[in-house]
Amino acid sequence: MGTVRDQFDLAGRTAVVTGASRGIGQALALALAEAGADIIGVSRNLAPEGGETGRLIAALGRRFSAYQCDFADRHDLYRFVKEAKEREAPVDILVNNAGMIQRKPAAEHPDEWWDQVIEVNQSAPFILAREFGREMLARGRGKIIFTASMLSFQGGILVPGYAASKSAVAGIVRALANEWAGRGVNVNAIAPGYIATDNTAALRADAERSASILGRIPAGRWGTPDDLKGAVVFLASAASDYVHGTILAVDGGWLAR
């Protein structure tokens, strides 16, 4: 097995990271590249040359392949899977990070918002896990990491579709782990706490709500995307070979309250 340092080494691995153009996804992609992996980045608006994420990863001496994909469009999702399998090295690590949120009281939450959030946050990640996971199973090795949420454990406020989808992500992780753990494929999730990203901009702009959130976080601050780097490298590496079906909270202690 080698030393502990060896266990975290991702040299020679290829990772797909969805939602890689900014925020949490960019930080996760960079973390894996810093640990030695080459990255296939996928986002709805990712520049063909890879944008900022591609430049940062290239500066690390790692390979970055950029793909655009609308995760709300099932046909576009399958188009990406087909192209990636034809053009890229076999995928060793899949990070299902892309997601979206729509805020409105449940009594006013329209069907189109519900359908879009469920497609992006729940259906697309499952399809990617199934399609790339099938090849991992054939090789007897692979790591699949979902981005869950505090709302995988709680109901939230004004985000019924998001809460439903992130609760489902936790269920998918456990279901896949039950089937695939004995076949060499680890399926786990990271549940970020309240992280300063575009998705939480509305919360941070609401002085009362932001103060309420901060008051519950034992660490006393909003998280940053970089706070998630260690968790993703751990779950992508040999150091987590006996970790299956875990929802790893990186939340400043939020759930401990």
Side-chain angles (χ1 to χ4, degrees):
M1 182 174 284
T3 67
V4 168
R5 187 186 297 272
D6 292 337
Q7 290 182 51
F8 285 90
D9 185 3
L10 299 180
R13 301 286 191 264
T14 297
V16 168
V17 181
T18 69
S21 63
R22 56 195 171 94
I24 290 174
Q26 184 181 79
L28 300 182
L30 284 169
L32 297 175
E34 288 166 2
D38 292 322
I39 308 298
I40 301 168
V42 198
S43 290
R44 186 177 62 179
N45 298 314
L46 187 62
E49 71 281 2
E52 182 184 39
T53 306
R55 289 192 296 273
L56 291 169
I57 288 174
L60 295 169
R62 307 314 313 162
R63 183 171 181 271
F64 184 82
S65 301
Y67 288 83
Q68 288 187 350
C69 180
D70 181 355
F71 298 100
D73 182 336
R74 191 74 61 89
H75 296 291
D76 202 34
L77 183 70
Y78 281 113
R79 187 268 312 161
F80 158 67
V81 171
K82 181 175 184 295
E83 290 183 2
K85 288 185 176 183
E86 289 174 348
R87 299 175 183 176
E88 306 294 340
V91 173
D92 303 292
I93 302 158
L94 169 64
V95 180
N96 272 321
N97 169 74
M100 67 175 301
I101 193 166
Q102 297 281 22
R103 300 180 187 278
K104 191 168 283 237
E108 303 167 21
H109 204 77
D111 286 356
E112 56 268 27
W113 280 17
W114 175 273
D115 292 343
Q116 186 181 41
V117 170
I118 295 298
E119 187 68 25
V120 172
N121 293 3
Q122 177 180 332
S123 298
F126 170 73
I127 290 168
L128 291 174
R130 183 189 66 205
E131 295 302 307
F132 289 111
R134 185 182 296 123
E135 296 183 349
M136 293 177 184
L137 290 168
R139 297 194 302 271
R141 186 184 74 184
K143 303 280 185 172
I144 298 176
I145 303 158
F146 288 74
T147 296
S149 168
M150 294 295 94
L151 300 196
S152 299
F153 306 95
Q154 301 168 325
I157 300 170
L158 305 180
V159 288
Y162 183 83
S165 69
K166 291 301 185 177
S167 293
V169 163
I172 292 169
V173 166
R174 295 180 182 116
L176 296 182
N178 285 341
E179 291 192 36
W180 295 354
R183 300 176 64 185
V185 177
N186 298 73
V187 185
N188 295 288
I190 298 169
Y194 285 86
I195 308 295
T197 65
D198 290 348
N199 270 0
T200 59
L203 291 177
R204 288 180 286 117
D206 182 331
E208 183 177 348
R209 185 88 171 95
S210 181
S212 173
I213 289 169
L214 281 173
R216 179 176 163 163
I217 300 173
R221 65 173 176 86
W222 286 77
T224 70
D226 282 356
D227 287 319
L228 305 168
K229 282 184 164 184
V232 76
V233 171
F234 167 63
L235 291 176
S237 72
S240 64
D241 279 354
Y242 199 59
V243 179
H244 297 276
T246 290
I247 315 298
L248 176 58
V250 183
D251 64 350
W254 173 271
L255 291 176
R257 283 281 176 92

